Amino acid sequence: SGVTEEDLAKDAESTGDVLTNGMGRNLQRFSPLTTLNKENVKNLMPVWAFSFGGEKQRGQETQPLVHDGMMYVTASYSRIYAVDLATGKEVWQYDARLPEGILPCCDVINRGAAIYGDNIYFGTLDARIVALNAKTGDVVWNKKIADYKEGYSYTAAPLIVDGLVITGNSGGEFGIVGEVQARDALTGETVWTRPVIEGHMGTLNGKESTMTGTLNATWPGDMWKTGGGATWLGGSYDIETDTLVFGAGNPAPWNSHLRNAGTPTEGNVGDNLYAASRLGIDPKTGEIKWHFQTTPREGWDYDGVNEVVAFADKDGNKKFATADRNGFFYVLNREDGKFLNAWPFVKDISWASGIDETGRPIYNEANRPGDPSKAADGAKGEMVFASPSFLGGKNWMPMAYSQHTGLFYVPSNEWGMDIWNEPVSYKKGAAYLGSGFTIKPNYEDHIGSLKAIDPATGEWKWEYKNEAPLWGGVMTTAGGLVFFGTPEGDFIALDDTTGEKLWSFQTGSGIVGQPITWEADGEQYVSVVSGWGGAVPLWGGEVAKKVNYLNQGGTVWTFKLPKQ
Ligand code: PQQ
């Protein structure tokens, strides 16, 4: 009953299991199931709840996997559980022994596992990747991705393509270098590595392969050596074009004036490739096939990591869509990543007035935080109020695409920040920002905003407002439902065409997890993990104070309709 490449390839259509992060390689988070629908969802009831136990709580951002009568679910502090699907009883548990001194920037979270053959794969906060036997939880192999003492960590779900386990890395706030690595899934041996900051050398089968980009073309001096661009959200695989798609985070440090290689208006000098970009990568060799940079000369912490969803438009044209931290929703060509269109998906974007026909932002330079070296005291550059905040119009939490409505359901947040730059120099294992900031809500009554967006026009068909910032994944179904959770603890189903609330259930802690659905014996099940945390309570400034009453937790909730 080992999971094959074919099983992974048809995960989006097969309804009996959930084998990939994203509910299919296209990351649509769309289920063809209709058993549960607009008429009967009001009767949805919990069937079991599984607690992660212990005193370790904090953010539970995971997406469970379902296979062969078991659920595999990761938890905070690098834990993973196998749970009996029928009863909710634990079958095995594995806790990674984390060293003192790990440096995750944004909570001790994990976003999920991968499954292939007889193994389960998951990453740990000390920047390792572990293969476990799916039946027993015994360790098959355990490999180091990078040195946690330098600030590297790992929070994403690994990706499996053609017998390779493909991973990104975290650590962008510590001047690390973003990289994608591919290992043999059976042995854990490294096949290739691809740093995403130009000037760095890739490897293939233990030998140097090619340099990323052109040394110093878009970076001044040695800045590329500690250039950031963490590939921290993992990536996806587009089978149609045989391409891995990975995003790269913000360039380091945040202070963009330190990263200018010349006159910013000339060519792409100072763009800091390939930070704040999406990259198309050849899965066999690790060679970069294309790139699209969302925020060149990034200066607001607008990481370019957000997920890229593959879909077909109304005329059947194959496209990508991605909702960036910077507040713009992009549609790209699937063959070469070329820019097709972009529209705002949040209100009040202040740093750019739009995106030009080449895909480059039309900057509002007055909204770039000032250069501290030009300040009278040389210590604090001019402060600006910029929107969206550095936590983004949308952060890591995945959107969903419905083949039923042709709409994207985008979890967004309406907030801004005071931001200023400060002098900074690189020190191994220390924060490398050169910025200070305070996040503020843009509206009195809501920050969270789930929008239904038409990818042909950028039009918002409806908006569902939530008081606290939305921080969990979205799922949609052919039954006409949109599922998501709130930090206030409600797991909610909306009507996919009107946004009307059809059902909700209070889970006892904030939801920052990613819902799934599957079918067994003719019944449709829905699961979501509840447990408040992630970046908002840690970095949210005035917003964090506003939501500091929310309780932590760690529970998998599973629902279905009562038996007729
Ligand atoms: N992680 C969260 C979260 O899980 O709530 C939010 C963020 C991260 C961010 O806003 C980040 O900028 C971020 N950056 C990095 C990085 O640059 O390496 C890593 C992570 C992470 O691994 O969780 C986050």
Side-chain angles (χ1 to χ4, degrees), residues 2-3 65 72 114-121 130-135 138-141 160 185-187:
V3 172
L65 298 178
Y72 299 97
I115 184 165
Y116 180 67
D118 298 322
N119 294 342
I120 296 289
Y121 302 84
V130 186
L132 303 168
N133 181 283
K135 286 273 169 321
D138 292 336
V139 175
V140 178
W141 53 256
I160 307 280
L186 295 180
T187 64

Side-chain angles (χ1 to χ4, degrees), residues 340-399:
L340 293 174
N341 239 320
W343 305 274
F345 66 90
V346 287
K347 301 168 194 137
D348 310 312
I349 296 174
S350 65
W351 65 279
S353 60
I355 304 294
D356 75 15
E357 66 280 0
T358 69
R360 204 175 168 87
I362 305 161
Y363 286 99
N364 173 12
E365 277 298 333
N367 204 236
R368 180 183 293 275
D371 185 348
S373 73
K374 299 224 165 73
D377 60 358
K380 183 175 175 180
E382 190 203 344
M383 182 173 90
V384 298
F385 179 81
S387 184
S389 83
F390 69 89
L391 288 179
K394 174 181 165 304
N395 203 286
W396 72 274
M397 57 283 192
M399 60 188 183

Side-chain angles (χ1 to χ4, degrees), residues 59 61 103-111 125 151-156 169-174 176 228-233 248-250 254 301-303 305 325 390-392 394-397 471 512 533-539:
E61 294 186 354
L103 293 164
C105 70
C106 311
D107 205 4
V108 286
I109 52 97
N110 182 282
R111 300 196 186 86
L125 290 164
Y152 285 97
S153 55
Y154 186 66
T155 59
N169 62 18
S170 294
E173 267 56 78
F174 298 93
I176 59 82
T231 50
W232 62 267
L233 201 45
N250 61 296
W254 287 24
D301 191 33
Y302 296 149
D303 294 48
V305 296
R325 279 268 277 264
F390 69 89
L391 288 179
K394 174 181 165 304
N395 203 286
W396 72 274
M397 57 283 192
W471 214 252
V512 295
V536 176
L538 300 173
W539 294 96

Side-chain angles (χ1 to χ4, degrees), residues 46 225 233 263 326 330 363 457 517 556:
K225 289 187 180 164
L233 201 45
T263 310
N326 71 17
Y330 294 82
Y363 286 99
T457 61
T517 187
V556 187

